[in-house]
Amino acid sequence: MVRTPVYMDYHSTTPCDPRVVDAMLPFFSHHYGNASSKGHFFGWQAAEAVRIAREEVAALIHSEPGEIVFTSGATESINLSLKGIYEMFSSRGKHLITVATEHRAVLDTVAHLEKMGAEVSILPVKSDGLIDTAELESAIRPDTQLISVMYANNETGVIQPVGEIGRIAKDHGVLFFCDATQALGKVPVDVMEDGIDLMAGSAHKFYGPKGAGFLYVRRKNPRVRLIAQQDGGGQEKELRSGTLNVPGIVGLGRAAALAGTEMMKTMEKIRALRDRLETAILDSGEARLNGHADLRLPTVSNLSFGSAGRGLLEKLQKDVAVSSGSACNSASLEPSHVLRAMGLGDDQAYHSIRFSLGKFNTEDDIDFVLERVKENLRSENLKT
Ligand SMILES: *Cc1c(COP(=O)(O)O)cnc(C)c1O
């Protein structure tokens, strides 16, 4: 028996792992100190928990603990890094490079900077969702300060050649910011190997709590400097003022630790479920896959359904939580900017469904969803 509705929208958010909740609970009630209270036990206790969480996050991405800045999530980390770098370096150069398929948090921040005087190159992607790294390299100018390319796309799961981008950035003395929100806990991320200078992540995408995230800021080769975007008590090495969200940070740390130790096993299981779902739907001849088939996360299947797609989505959503494009886009009736950038027409983009799976999905979920897809497609096809 499956519990309905079935949740297949893990790329929008994930439930907290029960072990994460257990780790957080004492910090709401008993261990309620302010991590900045240096003079007494309550403060030390909170500071110690934050110190451990910082080590856990650092271990997940192979950084030093001192390179982690705790924030309220990826959107804040993205704003802090893009605006903070721009403010730091705009007197030297105002050019930055990003990609058409980035998350709204990046594209809208970049649009904001453009109004402030930034010059922005937005790279296209190929039909498989990947950027052309030669095109990236030739977009670099003497006044380029920053390249912003995401690790893995939230809608298609497509994984960009991050290591190569890191090398290109380094060769040209340009900083590389990477939105790794969707990759963390799903594929190994290594800021040293990947040559990443700044990186955003968010706990609620890997079984941690909402409202807790981090920004990685490289401190060696090169030491990255940026201007804080929130002023106040000077927490987080002056980069992010405000009382630390200790329960959230503890949850983020625990989620990072669990992701580090369990990722390989969990992803193997999810990949098998995803592949079974995807193969069965593709074999029906009713859909095609959006995004590179191999260079992508094991957790997602983004499928275009032809003209039956829109009706299918509406019917399916009665008992399966899926989304069209990204969650932020599905509220409006705009077709996904990611799929459009990959060359899909409005109609094809409009008729696409994102199935994103997670560690609490089961074989029974797959059977149920396949049944619902088949049945709803049949009734949609009868209409046309
Ligand atoms: C979810 C997501 C974000 C936004 O994260 P929040 O923590 O919700 O602000 C940014 N980028 C990507 C790729 C995401 O998937």
Side-chain angles (χ1 to χ4, degrees):
M1 268 301 289
V2 290
R3 246 194 314 172
T4 56
V6 166
Y7 191 71
M8 278 199 187
D9 205 13
Y10 279 82
H11 277 202
S12 291
T13 194
T14 62
C16 271
D17 187 297
R19 294 167 292 179
V20 169
V21 177
D22 285 346
M24 291 173 71
L25 281 176
F27 291 90
F28 288 103
S29 47
H30 302 297
H31 310 327
Y32 47 78
N34 184 325
S36 304
S37 298
K38 303 262 190 276
H40 56 68
F41 178 75
F42 298 86
W44 304 333
Q45 200 176 38
E48 175 63 7
V50 169
R51 185 188 67 75
I52 292 168
R54 209 182 292 282
E55 282 181 353
E56 289 171 324
V57 172
L60 182 66
I61 65 169
H62 293 173
S63 75
E64 295 297 325
E67 297 176 311
I68 302 298
V69 177
F70 289 121
T71 67
S72 65
T75 301
E76 186 191 338
S77 301
I78 290 164
N79 273 268
L80 171 55
S81 49
L82 298 181
K83 290 174 182 171
I85 292 293
Y86 183 75
E87 198 179 331
M88 185 83 209
F89 293 107
S90 60
S91 58
R92 279 199 239 161
K94 295 183 186 299
H95 184 235
L96 54 107
I97 301 171
T98 188
V99 181
T101 51
E102 293 291 296
H103 192 274
R104 277 282 150 222
V106 168
L107 292 176
D108 289 356
T109 302
V110 162
H112 176 91
L113 290 175
E114 211 166 10
K115 279 191 216 139
M116 310 285 290
E119 289 170 39
V120 181
S121 299
I122 297 184
L123 296 176
V125 294
K126 298 177 282 185
S127 60
D128 59 12
L130 288 164
I131 65 164
D132 177 343
T133 49
E135 210 168 343
L136 168 69
E137 187 155 25
S138 56
I140 296 174
R141 319 191 310 206
D143 62 340
T144 306
Q145 297 303 332
L146 184 83
I147 295 169
S148 171
V149 181
M150 73 203 314
Y151 211 109
N153 187 271
N154 43 304
E155 295 190 36
T156 60
V158 168
I159 300 170
Q160 298 294 350
V162 170
E164 206 182 328
I165 297 167
R167 275 192 297 281
I168 292 170
K170 195 155 190 68
D171 283 352
H172 293 267
V174 175
L175 293 174
F176 175 27
F177 166 72
C178 185
D179 172 6
T181 312
Q182 211 55 249
L184 292 166
K186 301 189 180 107
V187 289
V189 170
D190 184 325
V191 291
M192 298 309 288
E193 212 156 88
D194 295 333
I196 295 168
D197 297 310
L198 301 114
M199 188 173 83
S202 192
H204 75 101
K205 300 291 174 77
F206 54 96
Y207 308 98
K210 294 161 185 63
F214 71 92
L215 176 65
Y216 157 78
V217 183
R218 180 178 288 279
R219 285 216 296 184
K220 262 200 320 234
N221 308 315
R223 182 185 182 88
V224 176
R225 289 181 307 143
L226 68 165
I227 308 285
Q229 299 299 302
Q230 178 162 301
D231 300 304
Q235 287 89 347
E236 298 299 273
K237 299 205 177 73
E238 311 266 321
L239 277 176
R240 204 279 190 171
S241 283
T243 301
L244 292 186
N245 169 11
V246 178
I249 289 167
V250 167
L252 165 63
R254 189 84 182 102
L258 292 172
T261 53
E262 297 175 2
M263 175 163 28
M264 290 308 168
K265 229 180 100 210
T266 313
M267 287 305 138
E268 203 177 310
K269 180 200 133 179
I270 297 172
R271 181 191 297 276
L273 293 175
R274 192 273 314 264
D275 286 351
R276 190 156 82 76
L277 176 78
E278 182 173 286
T279 304
I281 295 176
L282 290 178
D283 282 353
S284 73
E286 302 268 11
R288 48 168 290 244
L289 176 67
N290 294 318
H292 197 288
D294 302 317
L295 299 174
R296 83 183 146 133
L297 299 173
T299 47
V300 65
S301 185
N302 190 310
L303 301 171
S304 275
F305 279 90
S307 58
R310 193 69 208 171
L312 173 64
L313 178 68
E314 271 164 30
K315 289 211 170 88
L316 205 55
Q317 276 178 328
K318 292 201 175 83
D319 33 29
V320 186
V322 288
S323 70
S324 68
S326 73
C328 335
N329 286 351
S330 56
S332 67
L333 289 175
E334 284 281 295
S336 146
H337 72 279
V338 172
L339 299 179
R340 293 247 305 257
M342 290 160 61
L344 271 71
D346 274 8
D347 241 32
Q348 282 171 295
Y350 204 53
H351 295 151
S352 295
I353 299 180
R354 177 184 75 178
F355 300 86
S356 54
L357 286 72
K359 67 181 179 183
F360 299 118
N361 282 128
T362 63
E363 295 283 352
D364 287 348
D365 289 348
I366 303 296
D367 293 335
F368 178 80
V369 172
L370 280 174
E371 194 47 51
R372 301 310 300 149
V373 168
K374 264 187 216 145
E375 197 175 306
N376 290 320
L377 272 178
R378 209 180 303 130
S379 73
E380 280 304 308
N381 283 333
L382 283 178
K383 275 202 244 163
T384 51

mmCIF file of all heavy atoms in Angstrom, residues 67-99:
data_model
loop_
_atom_site.group_PDB
_atom_site.id
_atom_site.type_symbol
_atom_site.label_atom_id
_atom_site.label_comp_id
_atom_site.label_asym_id
_atom_site.label_seq_id
_atom_site.Cartn_x
_atom_site.Cartn_y
_atom_site.Cartn_z
ATOM 1 N N GLU A 67 35.998 28.568 6.409
ATOM 2 C CA GLU A 67 35.563 29.090 5.115
ATOM 3 C C GLU A 67 34.041 29.033 4.941
ATOM 4 O O GLU A 67 33.522 29.353 3.881
ATOM 5 C CB GLU A 67 36.244 28.296 3.981
ATOM 6 C CG GLU A 67 37.760 28.449 4.003
ATOM 7 C CD GLU A 67 38.481 27.600 2.968
ATOM 8 O OE1 GLU A 67 38.193 26.393 2.871
ATOM 9 O OE2 GLU A 67 39.341 28.139 2.257
ATOM 10 N N ILE A 68 33.346 28.594 6.007
ATOM 11 C CA ILE A 68 31.886 28.448 5.936
ATOM 12 C C ILE A 68 31.214 29.639 6.626
ATOM 13 O O ILE A 68 31.511 29.951 7.776
ATOM 14 C CB ILE A 68 31.435 27.144 6.648
ATOM 15 C CG1 ILE A 68 32.115 25.920 6.018
ATOM 16 C CG2 ILE A 68 29.908 27.005 6.622
ATOM 17 C CD1 ILE A 68 31.791 25.684 4.555
ATOM 18 N N VAL A 69 30.294 30.305 5.914
ATOM 19 C CA VAL A 69 29.484 31.389 6.485
ATOM 20 C C VAL A 69 28.045 30.890 6.541
ATOM 21 O O VAL A 69 27.463 30.550 5.504
ATOM 22 C CB VAL A 69 29.556 32.648 5.588
ATOM 23 C CG1 VAL A 69 28.647 33.751 6.136
ATOM 24 C CG2 VAL A 69 30.997 33.147 5.470
ATOM 25 N N PHE A 70 27.475 30.826 7.738
ATOM 26 C CA PHE A 70 26.090 30.362 7.848
ATOM 27 C C PHE A 70 25.117 31.466 7.454
ATOM 28 O O PHE A 70 25.300 32.636 7.824
ATOM 29 C CB PHE A 70 25.799 29.873 9.272
ATOM 30 C CG PHE A 70 26.484 28.592 9.603
ATOM 31 C CD1 PHE A 70 27.380 28.506 10.667
ATOM 32 C CD2 PHE A 70 26.254 27.446 8.833
ATOM 33 C CE1 PHE A 70 28.017 27.313 10.967
ATOM 34 C CE2 PHE A 70 26.891 26.252 9.127
ATOM 35 C CZ PHE A 70 27.778 26.181 10.190
ATOM 36 N N THR A 71 24.092 31.077 6.683
ATOM 37 C CA THR A 71 23.089 32.015 6.178
ATOM 38 C C THR A 71 21.703 31.393 6.347
ATOM 39 O O THR A 71 21.571 30.309 6.898
ATOM 40 C CB THR A 71 23.301 32.306 4.675
ATOM 41 O OG1 THR A 71 23.039 31.088 3.941
ATOM 42 C CG2 THR A 71 24.719 32.785 4.380
ATOM 43 N N SER A 72 20.705 32.063 5.794
ATOM 44 C CA SER A 72 19.337 31.535 5.882
ATOM 45 C C SER A 72 18.999 30.593 4.729
ATOM 46 O O SER A 72 17.876 30.089 4.658
ATOM 47 C CB SER A 72 18.349 32.696 5.882
ATOM 48 O OG SER A 72 18.401 33.370 4.637
ATOM 49 N N GLY A 73 19.935 30.364 3.822
ATOM 50 C CA GLY A 73 19.651 29.469 2.708
ATOM 51 C C GLY A 73 20.415 29.881 1.471
ATOM 52 O O GLY A 73 21.209 30.829 1.488
ATOM 53 N N ALA A 74 20.147 29.169 0.387
ATOM 54 C CA ALA A 74 20.922 29.408 -0.832
ATOM 55 C C ALA A 74 20.629 30.778 -1.438
ATOM 56 O O ALA A 74 21.534 31.448 -1.936
ATOM 57 C CB ALA A 74 20.637 28.308 -1.853
ATOM 58 N N THR A 75 19.378 31.213 -1.394
ATOM 59 C CA THR A 75 19.049 32.514 -1.991
ATOM 60 C C THR A 75 19.873 33.621 -1.334
ATOM 61 O O THR A 75 20.455 34.466 -2.026
ATOM 62 C CB THR A 75 17.542 32.803 -1.842
ATOM 63 O OG1 THR A 75 16.812 31.766 -2.500
ATOM 64 C CG2 THR A 75 17.178 34.152 -2.458
ATOM 65 N N GLU A 76 19.954 33.578 -0.021
ATOM 66 C CA GLU A 76 20.761 34.590 0.661
ATOM 67 C C GLU A 76 22.236 34.453 0.313
ATOM 68 O O GLU A 76 22.927 35.451 0.082
ATOM 69 C CB GLU A 76 20.570 34.500 2.182
ATOM 70 C CG GLU A 76 21.299 35.642 2.876
ATOM 71 C CD GLU A 76 21.390 35.507 4.391
ATOM 72 O OE1 GLU A 76 20.584 34.789 4.995
ATOM 73 O OE2 GLU A 76 22.294 36.150 4.948
ATOM 74 N N SER A 77 22.727 33.220 0.266
ATOM 75 C CA SER A 77 24.145 33.001 -0.055
ATOM 76 C C SER A 77 24.477 33.509 -1.455
ATOM 77 O O SER A 77 25.554 34.071 -1.688
ATOM 78 C CB SER A 77 24.473 31.511 0.039
ATOM 79 O OG SER A 77 24.201 31.019 1.337
ATOM 80 N N ILE A 78 23.558 33.307 -2.371
ATOM 81 C CA ILE A 78 23.747 33.755 -3.757
ATOM 82 C C ILE A 78 23.782 35.290 -3.794
ATOM 83 O O ILE A 78 24.674 35.892 -4.395
ATOM 84 C CB ILE A 78 22.621 33.196 -4.651
ATOM 85 C CG1 ILE A 78 22.773 31.679 -4.819
ATOM 86 C CG2 ILE A 78 22.613 33.905 -6.017
ATOM 87 C CD1 ILE A 78 21.537 30.965 -5.359
ATOM 88 N N ASN A 79 22.818 35.910 -3.122
ATOM 89 C CA ASN A 79 22.790 37.377 -3.071
ATOM 90 C C ASN A 79 24.063 37.932 -2.441
ATOM 91 O O ASN A 79 24.662 38.878 -2.954
ATOM 92 C CB ASN A 79 21.566 37.857 -2.279
ATOM 93 C CG ASN A 79 20.338 38.001 -3.159
ATOM 94 O OD1 ASN A 79 20.068 39.071 -3.694
ATOM 95 N ND2 ASN A 79 19.613 36.918 -3.356
ATOM 96 N N LEU A 80 24.477 37.317 -1.323
ATOM 97 C CA LEU A 80 25.668 37.790 -0.617
ATOM 98 C C LEU A 80 26.902 37.677 -1.500
ATOM 99 O O LEU A 80 27.706 38.608 -1.594
ATOM 100 C CB LEU A 80 25.853 36.983 0.676
ATOM 101 C CG LEU A 80 27.162 37.182 1.451
ATOM 102 C CD1 LEU A 80 27.405 38.649 1.779
ATOM 103 C CD2 LEU A 80 27.149 36.346 2.734
ATOM 104 N N SER A 81 27.046 36.561 -2.196
ATOM 105 C CA SER A 81 28.281 36.395 -2.966
ATOM 106 C C SER A 81 28.282 37.271 -4.210
ATOM 107 O O SER A 81 29.261 37.975 -4.469
ATOM 108 C CB SER A 81 28.522 34.929 -3.307
ATOM 109 O OG SER A 81 27.376 34.356 -3.839
ATOM 110 N N LEU A 82 27.201 37.274 -4.969
ATOM 111 C CA LEU A 82 27.210 38.051 -6.219
ATOM 112 C C LEU A 82 27.274 39.551 -5.940
ATOM 113 O O LEU A 82 28.063 40.279 -6.551
ATOM 114 C CB LEU A 82 25.989 37.708 -7.079
ATOM 115 C CG LEU A 82 25.879 36.256 -7.569
ATOM 116 C CD1 LEU A 82 24.634 36.058 -8.421
ATOM 117 C CD2 LEU A 82 27.121 35.824 -8.340
ATOM 118 N N LYS A 83 26.466 40.015 -4.996
ATOM 119 C CA LYS A 83 26.467 41.445 -4.672
ATOM 120 C C LYS A 83 27.744 41.825 -3.919
ATOM 121 O O LYS A 83 28.312 42.897 -4.151
ATOM 122 C CB LYS A 83 25.227 41.807 -3.839
ATOM 123 C CG LYS A 83 23.943 41.726 -4.651
ATOM 124 C CD LYS A 83 22.698 41.933 -3.795
ATOM 125 C CE LYS A 83 21.447 41.800 -4.662
ATOM 126 N NZ LYS A 83 20.208 41.776 -3.854
ATOM 127 N N GLY A 84 28.181 40.931 -3.018
ATOM 128 C CA GLY A 84 29.376 41.220 -2.225
ATOM 129 C C GLY A 84 30.632 41.300 -3.074
ATOM 130 O O GLY A 84 31.503 42.139 -2.827
ATOM 131 N N ILE A 85 30.742 40.432 -4.067
ATOM 132 C CA ILE A 85 31.904 40.465 -4.973
ATOM 133 C C ILE A 85 31.808 41.688 -5.879
ATOM 134 O O ILE A 85 32.796 42.387 -6.113
ATOM 135 C CB ILE A 85 31.982 39.157 -5.803
ATOM 136 C CG1 ILE A 85 32.322 37.966 -4.910
ATOM 137 C CG2 ILE A 85 32.982 39.299 -6.954
ATOM 138 C CD1 ILE A 85 33.714 37.981 -4.309
ATOM 139 N N TYR A 86 30.614 41.953 -6.371
ATOM 140 C CA TYR A 86 30.458 43.112 -7.256
ATOM 141 C C TYR A 86 30.840 44.399 -6.525
ATOM 142 O O TYR A 86 31.600 45.225 -7.043
ATOM 143 C CB TYR A 86 29.019 43.214 -7.784
ATOM 144 C CG TYR A 86 28.868 44.355 -8.758
ATOM 145 C CD1 TYR A 86 29.374 44.240 -10.044
ATOM 146 C CD2 TYR A 86 28.265 45.554 -8.381
ATOM 147 C CE1 TYR A 86 29.281 45.298 -10.942
ATOM 148 C CE2 TYR A 86 28.165 46.609 -9.261
ATOM 149 C CZ TYR A 86 28.669 46.471 -10.550
ATOM 150 O OH TYR A 86 28.579 47.509 -11.428
ATOM 151 N N GLU A 87 30.344 44.540 -5.298
ATOM 152 C CA GLU A 87 30.648 45.752 -4.543
ATOM 153 C C GLU A 87 32.148 45.866 -4.255
ATOM 154 O O GLU A 87 32.712 46.956 -4.261
ATOM 155 C CB GLU A 87 29.841 45.745 -3.232
ATOM 156 C CG GLU A 87 29.741 47.125 -2.595
ATOM 157 C CD GLU A 87 28.909 47.112 -1.315
ATOM 158 O OE1 GLU A 87 27.980 46.273 -1.183
ATOM 159 O OE2 GLU A 87 29.185 47.952 -0.444
ATOM 160 N N MET A 88 32.771 44.725 -4.044
ATOM 161 C CA MET A 88 34.210 44.716 -3.739
ATOM 162 C C MET A 88 35.043 45.119 -4.962
ATOM 163 O O MET A 88 36.029 45.838 -4.834
ATOM 164 C CB MET A 88 34.596 43.290 -3.302
ATOM 165 C CG MET A 88 36.014 43.133 -2.828
ATOM 166 S SD MET A 88 36.147 43.607 -1.104
ATOM 167 C CE MET A 88 37.828 44.181 -1.069
ATOM 168 N N PHE A 89 34.671 44.642 -6.126
ATOM 169 C CA PHE A 89 35.552 44.742 -7.290
ATOM 170 C C PHE A 89 35.066 45.647 -8.413
ATOM 171 O O PHE A 89 35.741 45.772 -9.437
ATOM 172 C CB PHE A 89 35.810 43.341 -7.878
ATOM 173 C CG PHE A 89 36.606 42.466 -6.966
ATOM 174 C CD1 PHE A 89 36.001 41.415 -6.277
ATOM 175 C CD2 PHE A 89 37.970 42.687 -6.773
ATOM 176 C CE1 PHE A 89 36.739 40.602 -5.433
ATOM 177 C CE2 PHE A 89 38.706 41.880 -5.927
ATOM 178 C CZ PHE A 89 38.088 40.831 -5.251
ATOM 179 N N SER A 90 33.894 46.299 -8.249
ATOM 180 C CA SER A 90 33.342 47.025 -9.396
ATOM 181 C C SER A 90 34.225 48.193 -9.841
ATOM 182 O O SER A 90 34.154 48.620 -10.994
ATOM 183 C CB SER A 90 31.920 47.504 -9.102
ATOM 184 O OG SER A 90 31.933 48.355 -7.991
ATOM 185 N N SER A 91 35.094 48.686 -8.943
ATOM 186 C CA SER A 91 35.982 49.769 -9.376
ATOM 187 C C SER A 91 37.056 49.232 -10.323
ATOM 188 O O SER A 91 37.607 49.969 -11.128
ATOM 189 C CB SER A 91 36.622 50.443 -8.167
ATOM 190 O OG SER A 91 37.329 49.480 -7.419
ATOM 191 N N ARG A 92 37.336 47.916 -10.251
ATOM 192 C CA ARG A 92 38.346 47.310 -11.135
ATOM 193 C C ARG A 92 37.734 46.756 -12.420
ATOM 194 O O ARG A 92 38.393 46.696 -13.446
ATOM 195 C CB ARG A 92 39.033 46.155 -10.417
ATOM 196 C CG ARG A 92 40.119 46.611 -9.484
ATOM 197 C CD ARG A 92 41.024 45.436 -9.192
ATOM 198 N NE ARG A 92 41.052 45.173 -7.757
ATOM 199 C CZ ARG A 92 41.453 44.026 -7.214
ATOM 200 N NH1 ARG A 92 41.818 43.018 -7.990
ATOM 201 N NH2 ARG A 92 41.475 43.882 -5.927
ATOM 202 N N GLY A 93 36.492 46.308 -12.337
ATOM 203 C CA GLY A 93 35.858 45.725 -13.513
ATOM 204 C C GLY A 93 34.414 45.407 -13.194
ATOM 205 O O GLY A 93 34.099 45.006 -12.075
ATOM 206 N N LYS A 94 33.559 45.583 -14.181
ATOM 207 C CA LYS A 94 32.123 45.440 -13.921
ATOM 208 C C LYS A 94 31.507 44.276 -14.672
ATOM 209 O O LYS A 94 30.293 44.154 -14.757
ATOM 210 C CB LYS A 94 31.391 46.735 -14.321
ATOM 211 C CG LYS A 94 31.764 47.951 -13.476
ATOM 212 C CD LYS A 94 30.938 49.149 -13.903
ATOM 213 C CE LYS A 94 31.363 50.433 -13.207
ATOM 214 N NZ LYS A 94 31.222 50.389 -11.748
ATOM 215 N N HIS A 95 32.364 43.391 -15.243
ATOM 216 C CA HIS A 95 31.815 42.325 -16.085
ATOM 217 C C HIS A 95 31.669 41.017 -15.315
ATOM 218 O O HIS A 95 32.565 40.615 -14.593
ATOM 219 C CB HIS A 95 32.727 42.102 -17.297
ATOM 220 C CG HIS A 95 32.202 41.086 -18.265
ATOM 221 N ND1 HIS A 95 32.918 39.981 -18.660
ATOM 222 C CD2 HIS A 95 31.010 41.010 -18.913
ATOM 223 C CE1 HIS A 95 32.184 39.274 -19.520
ATOM 224 N NE2 HIS A 95 31.038 39.866 -19.694
ATOM 225 N N LEU A 96 30.521 40.394 -15.480
ATOM 226 C CA LEU A 96 30.369 39.045 -14.942
ATOM 227 C C LEU A 96 29.644 38.146 -15.938
ATOM 228 O O LEU A 96 28.932 38.630 -16.808
ATOM 229 C CB LEU A 96 29.690 39.058 -13.577
ATOM 230 C CG LEU A 96 28.352 39.748 -13.405
ATOM 231 C CD1 LEU A 96 27.281 38.696 -13.263
ATOM 232 C CD2 LEU A 96 28.385 40.628 -12.167
ATOM 233 N N ILE A 97 29.904 36.846 -15.766
ATOM 234 C CA ILE A 97 29.388 35.855 -16.717
ATOM 235 C C ILE A 97 28.514 34.856 -15.980
ATOM 236 O O ILE A 97 28.893 34.351 -14.926
ATOM 237 C CB ILE A 97 30.557 35.096 -17.398
ATOM 238 C CG1 ILE A 97 31.474 36.073 -18.147
ATOM 239 C CG2 ILE A 97 30.036 34.006 -18.337
ATOM 240 C CD1 ILE A 97 32.765 35.432 -18.649
ATOM 241 N N THR A 98 27.345 34.575 -16.531
ATOM 242 C CA THR A 98 26.527 33.500 -15.975
ATOM 243 C C THR A 98 25.831 32.752 -17.120
ATOM 244 O O THR A 98 26.194 32.936 -18.286
ATOM 245 C CB THR A 98 25.553 34.027 -14.896
ATOM 246 O OG1 THR A 98 24.926 32.918 -14.254
ATOM 247 C CG2 THR A 98 24.491 34.939 -15.471
ATOM 248 N N VAL A 99 24.856 31.927 -16.783
ATOM 249 C CA VAL A 99 24.268 31.008 -17.764
ATOM 250 C C VAL A 99 22.741 31.132 -17.733
ATOM 251 O O VAL A 99 22.150 31.349 -16.672
ATOM 252 C CB VAL A 99 24.678 29.544 -17.454
ATOM 253 C CG1 VAL A 99 24.094 28.583 -18.481
ATOM 254 C CG2 VAL A 99 26.193 29.411 -17.403
#
